[in-house]
Amino acid sequence: KLPLGKSVRVKLSYPGSDAIMLQSAAKERVFLLVDKRRVLVPYSTSIAINISTWGLLEARLGTRKYRGASMTIDGSIVRIASWSRIPSWDSAWKYNDNIFRKKVIVRNENDRLLVVNELPVELYLRWMGEVSESDAVSVPEKAKTIIVGARSYALYYSDPTLSESLKKFPWKPYELSDDPDVSQKYLGYSYELRSPSVAGLVDDTNGEVVKYDGKVVKVWYSSSTDGRTRSYLEYCQASWKTDCEDIPYLQSVEDPGAVWSTRNGHGVWISGIGATYFARLWWEYKDIIMYYLSGVTIGK
């Protein structure tokens, strides 16, 4: 088995209804942690959790009830049965992106259910929709470029020594979100079932991250640029921020694959269309990363 490394906590975009239904999606018994209390859940038993009085959560297992501030179901595969997230293209209803590995944590946040998936980073990357199965098959070096960048992004924000002011979600019980508009697109275990090539490339690059001056850096990427990437200083000033700085490894570079494109996204750091261009010229993923990010190294 490959080492799975550190864990990351990902906020799921569960709609926050009055109740949530959790169950094991594997043939196993699982445990429900009610605060610090450990409750055995028999195989195929569903757990219904809702917000009760005084802001506490109430979990129901058949006729039994448990109350606490936090509920965690810990199993190999967990299904959120009350969440239908079938992809729009799946007319056969074969896949439902409501299945997750390891821990699913439920809390009360402002009288709405907060649902977090805690799992090893290497599993998180296998289920991240930022990388398409078609890219993994046709331009694997481009896919590995995005995977290594995404691993760096996840490990940067999940570093326990990172100050709250630098975190993506300060003072929250999670480091990332499944919302691609604010974090990275994360779809859960069912994505691996339909994207085995992506999972293989995650394993091929196991543990590899982007570093500058020996430290892991957060790596952003855009789907395309208008012929060049933006430096961080340029991006920051265009965002009307007052604390802008010139970061050595985040400089503007020519993006030849995107000459006839328009900007899609913030236009800084790694260009998706540019990575495709270089991959088709037989560049390896490490060379692509080091082209867009000046002076970085790639290693474990």
Side-chain angles (χ1 to χ4, degrees):
K1 291 183 178 180
L2 290 166
L4 297 178
K6 289 179 54 180
S7 289
V8 63
R9 294 172 297 178
V10 187
K11 177 188 177 183
L12 302 179
S13 52
Y14 189 73
S17 61
D18 294 334
I20 188 171
M21 186 75 71
L22 303 175
Q23 59 187 204
S24 172
K27 293 183 178 179
E28 63 178 0
R29 298 179 301 174
V30 297
F31 287 94
L32 174 68
L33 278 64
V34 183
D35 293 336
K36 295 183 179 180
R37 184 179 180 183
R38 203 163 177 245
V39 180
L40 178 64
V41 181
Y43 168 63
S44 77
T45 300
S46 295
I47 305 167
I49 301 173
N50 64 280
I51 299 174
S52 185
T53 56
W54 304 106
L56 294 175
L57 299 175
E58 181 177 87
R60 287 178 283 118
L61 282 73
T63 59
R64 294 173 295 165
K65 295 182 180 181
Y66 303 90
R67 286 189 176 183
S70 176
M71 305 281 182
T72 302
I73 182 170
D74 191 354
S76 60
I77 308 176
V78 178
R79 175 182 288 110
I80 303 179
S82 53
W83 193 12
S84 179
R85 198 161 62 145
I86 299 172
S88 58
W89 50 262
D90 185 10
S91 58
W93 289 33
K94 183 178 180 181
Y95 301 105
N96 192 345
D97 295 330
N98 66 350
I99 309 172
F100 305 91
R101 280 202 185 273
K102 302 303 180 183
K103 296 179 181 180
V104 173
I105 304 164
V106 183
R107 295 188 180 186
N108 177 0
E109 184 178 64
N110 300 321
D111 292 326
R112 294 177 65 85
L113 294 176
L114 170 66
V115 185
V116 174
N117 183 202
E118 181 179 329
L119 75 167
V121 167
E122 295 302 314
L123 293 183
Y124 163 77
L125 293 168
R126 294 165 78 99
W127 309 328
M128 196 187 67
E130 303 282 357
V131 183
S132 69
E133 178 70 2
S134 61
D135 274 355
V137 173
S138 63
V139 280
E141 296 303 310
K142 180 265 185 83
K144 287 191 280 188
T145 297
I146 301 303
I147 288 168
V148 173
R151 181 183 290 112
S152 304
Y153 185 95
L155 288 175
Y156 174 86
Y157 279 117
S158 60
D159 182 351
T161 66
L162 190 67
S163 67
E164 290 295 330
S165 62
L166 295 177
K167 289 183 179 180
K168 187 73 175 177
F169 302 102
W171 308 108
K172 296 292 186 180
Y174 50 86
E175 293 89 28
L176 301 176
S177 163
D178 65 357
D179 182 353
D181 290 336
V182 295
S183 188
Q184 299 185 129
K185 186 177 181 180
Y186 172 67
L187 297 172
Y189 176 60
S190 61
Y191 189 67
E192 180 180 347
L193 300 180
R194 62 182 186 266
S195 304
S197 299
V198 173
L201 296 182
V202 171
D203 293 344
D204 289 347
T205 62
N206 182 268
E208 292 186 345
V209 292
V210 182
K211 296 181 180 180
Y212 184 81
D213 198 22
K215 297 179 181 179
V216 177
V217 297
K218 58 181 177 182
V219 178
W220 291 353
Y221 36 87
S222 298
S223 58
S224 66
T225 70
D226 55 1
R228 70 177 180 90
T229 63
R230 269 49 177 178
S231 68
Y232 178 78
L233 180 62
E234 186 178 0
Y235 161 74
C236 183
Q237 291 174 339
S239 302
W240 300 101
K241 296 181 180 180
T242 59
D243 56 348
C244 298
E245 60 179 319
D246 186 24
I247 299 177
Y249 58 90
L250 302 178
Q251 301 299 313
S252 174
V253 300
E254 295 296 319
D255 193 22
V259 170
W260 304 109
S261 301
T262 56
R263 289 179 64 185
N264 187 354
H266 43 67
V268 298
W269 304 16
I270 295 176
S271 158
I273 197 169
T276 299
Y277 171 83
F278 288 124
R280 287 175 175 162
L281 292 179
W282 306 105
W283 283 33
E284 295 186 353
Y285 67 100
K286 292 183 180 180
D287 296 322
I288 297 172
I289 292 171
M290 290 188 289
Y291 173 80
Y292 284 105
L293 306 179
S294 308
V296 301
T297 59
I298 295 96
K300 297 191 177 184

